[in-house]
């Protein structure tokens, strides 16, 4: 009996519109091409990384109605590689084509207050939080939440931008001056043992699948290393995965969702934030999984069946950030076992994500800190990996 595509699925040859032209769009378009789809990119920058691997790129402002209309009319379905499109722009796109994930999901993830309210309603623990709009609001929030805390802009923050750690009331008021008049949120500081994330894909039919939790280590507020799977108690990892699936269901998501979480020394799992798109902490899945986060994203958006989010290998992913790490590229591609990815950006500015490197290990064989450092070869001095907590018994430091 012939097998048909599910009702409503995009046929091969259809065009997927991706809003945003960065590396997430680039790797999504590469996955789409493998499945026989074309991608049209909408970007505010010419020569963006996604444009190099797509059918075409419309360059224009994300809020310009004429640009959005021309983009929507040229595609069959629309998705995103970043979530900060204006409400008006989203409405315009959604009136013309299916938008996956939907505008409601994007609105929740665009605003830390909407996000935290939603998460708490969905039964997910977050840091204690309060909205802050002025000095009186800050006083009230400090009285309720205490110190230390983090004052963040509610919108458009990423990689530690638009936020300040505050340890005393004077620091809190200085941060208020620096960050206002933008709407702000005060969050209690979570004294976490490690940071993890879970990536969930959820299809048009509501079927969902999640990768195992991974551990994320940051440097200068930017993701540096991802260890897959997270070397944590399996019960905590299972809880984190269940939580991420629950949040995706509560959102009625169609697409991909990254759920970033803190794990405390007591084993509590506290959600930090969600991103309804491919995520830097899922880049390892390109090389370690039969279907990567990008393929699952495209499959969900295209209405295809989702395969189980499983891995054939364990992996460590290291970001290549800024000029110094990008300069290691010749050594990386000259080293057996390192799988390099460059995003096609011409200028390696400090703090800019230029590419990443993945190293695979047999499934179940993720080594401890010393083994990972050694396996990263030319990146060895760059691998800032505290030994604590991840060295298996009997681990030996290479001489
Ligand atoms: P965010 O922009 O919310 O992803 O925060 C960037 C980084 O700041 C996180 O990955 C954490 O390392 C740290 N951070 C953010 N919020 C908190 C918090 N409430 N408590 C402790 N650390 C935090």
């Amino acid at each position: 009996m012939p097998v048909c595509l599910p009702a409503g699925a995009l046929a091969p040859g259809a065009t997927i519109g991706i809003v945003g032209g960065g590396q997430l769009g680039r790797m999504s378009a590469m996955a789409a091409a493998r499945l026989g789809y074309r991608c049209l990119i909408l970007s505010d920058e010419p020569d963006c990384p996604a444009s190099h691997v797509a059918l075409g790129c419309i360059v224009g402002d994300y809020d310009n109605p004429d640009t959005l209309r021309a983009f929507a009319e040229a595609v069959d379905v629309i998705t995103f590689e970043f979530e900060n499109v204006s409400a008006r722009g989203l409405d315009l796109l959604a009136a013309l084509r299916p938008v996956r994930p939907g505008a409601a999901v994007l609105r929740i993830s665009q605003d830390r207050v909407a996000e935290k309210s939603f998460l708490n309603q969905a039964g997910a623990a977050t840091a204690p939080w309060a909205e802050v709009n002025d000095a009186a609001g800050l006083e009230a929030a400090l009285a309720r939440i205490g110190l230390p805390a983090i004052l963040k802009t509610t919108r458009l923050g990423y990689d530690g931008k638009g936020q300040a750690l505050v340890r005393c009331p004077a620091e809190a008021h200085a941060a208020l001056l620096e960050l206002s008049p933008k709407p702000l949120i005060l969050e209690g500081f979570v004294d976490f043992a490690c940071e993890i994330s879970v990536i969930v894909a959820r299809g048009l039919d509501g079927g969902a699948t999640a990768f195992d939790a991974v551990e994320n280590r940051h440097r200068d507020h930017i993701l540096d290393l991802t260890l897959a799977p997270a070397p944590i108690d399996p019960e905590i990892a299972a809880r984190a995965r269940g939580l991420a699936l629950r949040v995706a269901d509560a959102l009625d998501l169609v697409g991909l969702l990254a759920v970033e979480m803190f794990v405390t020394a007591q084993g509590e799992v506290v959600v930090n934030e969600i991103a309804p798109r491919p995520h830097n902490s899922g880049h390892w899945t390109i090389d370690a999984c039969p279907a990567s986060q990008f393929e699952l994203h495209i499959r969900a958006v295209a209405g295809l069946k989702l395969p189980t989010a499983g891995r054939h290998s364990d992996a460590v992913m290291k970001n290549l950030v800024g000029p110094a790490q990008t300069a290691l590229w010749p050594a990386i591609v000259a080293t057996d076992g390192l799988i390099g990815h460059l995003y096609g950006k011409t200028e390696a500015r400090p703090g800019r994500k230029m590419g990443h490197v993945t190293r695979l290990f047999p499934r179940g064989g993720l080594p401890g800190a010393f083994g990972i450092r050694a396996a990263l070869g030319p990146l060895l001095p760059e691998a800032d990996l505290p030994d604590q907590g991840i060295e298996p018994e009997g681990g030996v430091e290479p001489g």
Side-chain angles (χ1 to χ4, degrees):
M1 213 166 106
V3 176
C4 301
L5 290 177
L10 287 190
T15 303
I16 299 174
I18 302 180
V19 179
Q23 62 268 17
L24 302 176
R26 177 184 175 96
M27 292 183 272
S28 297
M30 288 161 81
R34 215 164 56 108
L35 294 170
Y37 297 119
R38 299 150 194 248
C39 286
L40 180 67
I41 309 299
L42 174 63
S43 171
D44 59 359
E45 276 180 38
D47 194 36
C48 60
S51 70
H52 303 168
V53 299
L55 173 70
C57 179
I58 293 186
V59 180
D61 187 35
Y62 295 117
D63 287 337
N64 180 321
D66 294 333
T67 307
L68 292 175
R69 203 168 295 116
F71 170 70
E73 281 169 357
V75 303
D76 297 295
V77 64
I78 295 170
T79 189
F80 304 84
E81 67 123 40
F82 80 116
E83 51 268 45
N84 291 311
V85 179
S86 72
R88 240 174 26 145
L90 281 175
D91 290 342
L92 196 154
L93 293 175
L96 293 170
R97 291 291 183 271
V99 166
R100 298 175 186 152
V105 175
L106 270 93
R107 283 192 189 123
I108 290 170
S109 66
Q110 282 174 350
D111 182 293
R112 291 187 197 270
V113 168
E115 180 181 70
K116 291 229 162 29
S117 308
F118 173 83
L119 287 166
N120 294 157
Q121 274 164 24
T126 60
W129 60 273
E131 273 185 88
V132 171
N133 293 308
D134 51 28
L138 179 61
E139 284 299 332
L142 286 171
R144 193 152 73 72
I145 287 165
L147 289 163
I150 304 192
L151 193 61
K152 300 181 178 177
T153 55
T154 58
R155 301 175 79 88
L156 299 174
Y158 68 97
D159 287 346
K161 294 190 173 62
Q163 59 179 271
L165 172 66
V166 297
R167 284 156 294 201
C168 62
E171 272 184 2
H173 283 280
L176 176 70
L177 281 182
E178 194 193 316
L179 298 173
S180 57
K182 294 186 179 136
L184 304 174
I185 181 171
L186 188 75
E187 290 180 18
F189 182 84
V190 180
D191 186 17
F192 56 81
C194 68
E195 293 188 76
I196 62 170
S197 58
V198 171
I199 292 175
V200 182
R202 191 168 178 279
L204 263 182
D205 60 358
T209 181
F211 290 102
D212 280 340
V214 297
E215 179 176 350
N216 300 315
R217 294 177 179 233
H218 297 84
R219 183 195 275 202
D220 301 328
H221 301 289
I222 299 173
L223 183 64
D224 179 39
L225 288 169
T226 294
L227 314 186
I232 56 175
D233 181 336
E235 184 276 322
I236 297 174
R239 210 158 7 104
R241 201 160 163 270
L243 188 61
L245 283 161
R246 176 138 49 92
V247 172
D249 271 342
L251 285 170
D252 199 17
L253 175 89
V254 178
L256 206 65
L257 182 77
V259 182
E260 294 182 45
M261 295 169 265
F262 303 125
V263 180
T264 67
Q266 294 71 42
E268 291 156 315
V269 175
V270 176
V271 178
N272 176 30
E273 62 180 359
I274 57 176
R277 54 166 170 76
H279 193 258
N280 196 167
S281 68
H283 290 1
W284 63 277
T285 61
I286 298 175
D287 301 305
C289 304
S292 72
Q293 65 161 348
F294 299 101
E295 173 159 349
L296 293 183
H297 176 212
I298 294 299
R299 279 178 173 256
V301 167
L304 297 182
K305 184 177 173 327
L306 298 181
T308 302
R311 67 179 189 285
H312 50 70
S313 303
D314 289 356
V316 171
M317 187 285 311
K318 177 153 181 23
N319 266 340
L320 297 177
V321 178
Q325 292 179 7
T326 310
L328 298 169
W329 182 252
I332 292 165
V333 287
T335 305
D336 265 4
L338 292 184
I339 309 172
H341 300 250
L342 275 189
Y343 306 147
K345 300 181 186 178
T346 40
E347 200 192 339
R349 292 193 290 272
R352 196 170 196 212
K353 291 174 184 166
M354 301 298 292
H356 71 267
V357 176
T358 306
R359 175 87 204 211
L360 300 182
F361 300 91
R363 203 186 140 102
L366 187 70
F370 300 131
I372 290 173
R373 278 209 202 95
L376 288 174
L379 291 156
L380 186 61
E382 288 290 329
D384 183 12
L385 196 68
D387 300 339
Q388 196 190 6
I390 68 162
E391 184 60 19
E393 271 176 39
V396 183
E397 182 161 19

